[in-house]
């Protein structure tokens, strides 16, 4: 018998606003100042909401959101503020 593993996507388990807030709080605690890590966490939360919906709410394109929230770069503060607002986080 062989075991089969499946990829895990944290966005699948973060549907409730409380879970999203707890996830972001935990990421902020362990980030150690790594802005790209926080951007990736925000990207996970944006995928929970639906990237198309978040793009419409922020006025940014889906492509620019994916790039900004990939974890490979640090997004602008303006992008972070727009994203946090669209996710309903404070």
């Amino acid at each position: 018998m062989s075991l089969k593993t499946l990829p895990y996507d944290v966005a699948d388990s973060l549907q409730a606003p409380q879970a999203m807030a707890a996830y972001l709080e935990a990421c902020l605690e362990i980030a150690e100042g790594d802005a790209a890590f926080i951007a990736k966490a925000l990207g996970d939360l944006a995928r929970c909401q639906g990237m198309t919906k978040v793009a419409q709410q922020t006025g940014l394109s889906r492509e620019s959101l994916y790039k900004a929230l990939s974890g490979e770069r640090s997004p602008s503060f303006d992008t972070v503020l727009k994203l946090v607002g669209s996710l309903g986080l404070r």
Side-chain angles (χ1 to χ4, degrees), residues 71-83:
E72 296 176 10
R73 62 176 74 184
S74 299
S76 70
F77 192 64
D78 184 55
T79 298
V80 171
L81 288 177
K82 288 178 181 179
L83 183 60

Side-chain angles (χ1 to χ4, degrees), residues 54-88:
V54 172
Q56 291 170 343
Q57 291 174 336
T58 60
L60 302 167
S61 71
R62 286 179 63 243
E63 293 78 21
S64 66
L65 280 175
Y66 277 115
K67 286 179 186 177
L69 304 175
S70 68
E72 296 176 10
R73 62 176 74 184
S74 299
S76 70
F77 192 64
D78 184 55
T79 298
V80 171
L81 288 177
K82 288 178 181 179
L83 183 60
V84 167
S86 77
L87 295 173

